[in-house]
Amino acid sequence: MRAARMNRFAKGVIYTLVGIVVLILAGIIGNILISGLPHLSWHFLTSEASNFEAGGGVRDQLFNSLYLLVLTTLISGPIALGSAIFLSEYAGDNWLVDLIRTTIEILSSLPSIVVGLFGYLVFVVQVGFGFSILSGALALTFFNLPILTRNMEESLKGVPQTQREAGLALGLSNWKTIRGIVLPAALPGILTGLVLSGGRIFGEAAALIYTAGQSGSIVDYSNWNPFSPTSFLNVMRPAETLAVHIWKVNTEGIIPDATLVSAATGALLVIVVILFNLGSRYLGNKLYKKLTAAK
């Protein structure tokens, strides 16, 4: 009887703690959406931001956020995946591997503003990229590599050893076993890492203030030449994201409707992150079923 009471008590405490977390999350998201959704409109999504007049939009900031997400993922994804494969499949248990893992942990604990200052000094000043999308993407690559690498490594380690042994028993090489068996089986965990890093990219502001810039140039969405200064595909142009825009309108105070703009931008940012998570998981599940023939 005493064990049963303790079990019920422990379950009650756990459920209470989980409920508190859910309520906090629901309260934060609910407050943002309730404050910002009434001010979202098609005009707000498709018009340029205005620094001195009311009624501006976030068209460029929304595109810049998505563009940075794609570019950063293209840069950091392969690097993180290669590092994860090495650590989980090829690396032994020695001091060098321990040093690499320790370095990854240290890098993951760096404040984003420190990463931004590093990106400013290296990519903006020394390399000469200036305030640009490319500088921001490279800075965010350093910011996201630790979480991506660790998530991918744990996903690969979670694949049962028997699946590797089965591939080797069929005469497959180690690399073919990894490529054809281990990676498809670890796809859900790899996707989780990409989703988490994508959320960080959407919400990051400090690192991008020092690298991508606080104000965007004139963008021509009909200009598909990536080398043109006005092209929306030009990675060398400065770009203000949604998160940076929220910070900017609240600190400068020159927009008459700054409170409404920041509330609507915050709600849009939350919606974009939620849609990105749901869309990524849906596509990942479809791809996982196709690669593994799972039902």
Side-chain angles (χ1 to χ4, degrees):
M1 293 294 294
R2 182 179 179 182
R5 287 197 299 269
M6 288 299 296
N7 183 59
R8 288 195 297 270
F9 175 75
K11 288 176 63 177
V13 172
I14 293 173
Y15 289 154
T16 301
L17 294 177
V18 172
I20 291 174
V21 173
V22 172
L23 287 176
I24 293 174
L25 180 62
I28 294 174
I29 296 179
N31 179 65
I32 294 174
L33 294 179
I34 291 173
S35 302
L37 280 179
H39 308 294
L40 281 179
S41 63
W42 183 249
H43 172 76
F44 184 76
L45 296 176
T46 57
S47 62
E48 299 180 21
S50 175
N51 292 332
F52 304 101
E53 299 177 358
V58 291
R59 179 194 64 185
D60 296 341
Q61 288 77 9
L62 177 58
F63 174 79
N64 292 337
S65 298
L66 296 173
Y67 196 16
L68 262 171
L69 170 66
V70 173
L71 189 60
T72 304
T73 302
L74 290 177
I75 297 173
S76 60
I79 299 174
L81 183 59
S83 302
I85 292 175
F86 168 76
L87 291 172
S88 64
E89 304 297 328
Y90 293 101
D93 188 10
N94 52 60
W95 67 270
L96 179 60
V97 176
D98 292 338
L99 179 62
I100 293 174
R101 288 197 172 98
T102 302
T103 304
I104 292 174
E105 295 295 336
I106 294 174
L107 186 61
S108 66
S109 63
L110 288 178
S112 60
I113 194 170
V114 174
V115 177
L117 286 172
F118 168 79
Y120 171 76
L121 294 174
V122 175
F123 303 120
V124 177
V125 178
Q126 294 296 329
V127 180
F129 289 155
F131 291 105
S132 63
I133 294 176
L134 183 58
S135 296
L138 291 173
L140 290 179
T141 295
F142 283 92
F143 189 65
N144 277 335
L145 272 179
I147 187 172
L148 267 178
T149 303
R150 293 297 293 171
N151 272 277
M152 291 181 178
E153 181 188 359
E154 293 301 322
S155 300
L156 293 172
K157 285 183 175 180
V159 178
Q161 184 63 25
T162 53
Q163 296 193 25
R164 296 177 175 86
E165 295 172 353
L168 296 174
L170 292 172
L172 299 178
S173 65
N174 192 26
W175 168 242
K176 285 187 176 180
T177 302
I178 294 172
R179 186 186 62 186
I181 298 177
V182 177
L183 285 177
L187 185 61
I190 293 174
L191 180 65
T192 299
L194 291 173
V195 169
L196 290 175
S197 67
R200 298 183 75 185
I201 294 172
F202 277 123
E204 182 54 41
L208 294 177
I209 291 173
Y210 290 99
T211 53
Q214 301 180 30
S215 59
S217 57
I218 299 176
V219 180
D220 182 5
Y221 290 93
S222 63
N223 185 356
W224 288 80
N225 181 9
F227 301 102
S228 174
T230 60
S231 173
F232 66 102
L233 295 176
N234 186 4
V235 297
M236 302 306 297
R237 63 178 177 85
E240 182 180 287
T241 62
L242 290 173
V244 175
H245 188 61
I246 294 174
W247 173 85
K248 180 181 177 181
V249 298
N250 280 282
T251 53
E252 290 186 346
I254 58 178
I255 302 178
D257 56 347
T259 302
L260 301 182
V261 170
S262 60
T265 306
L268 176 61
L269 186 58
V270 170
I271 294 173
V272 169
V273 171
I274 293 175
L275 291 177
F276 171 74
N277 277 263
L278 295 177
S280 298
R281 293 188 182 279
Y282 173 77
L283 293 176
N285 289 333
K286 298 285 288 186
L287 184 60
Y288 174 73
K289 292 178 180 178
K290 182 178 180 180
L291 292 175
T292 60
K295 294 182 179 180

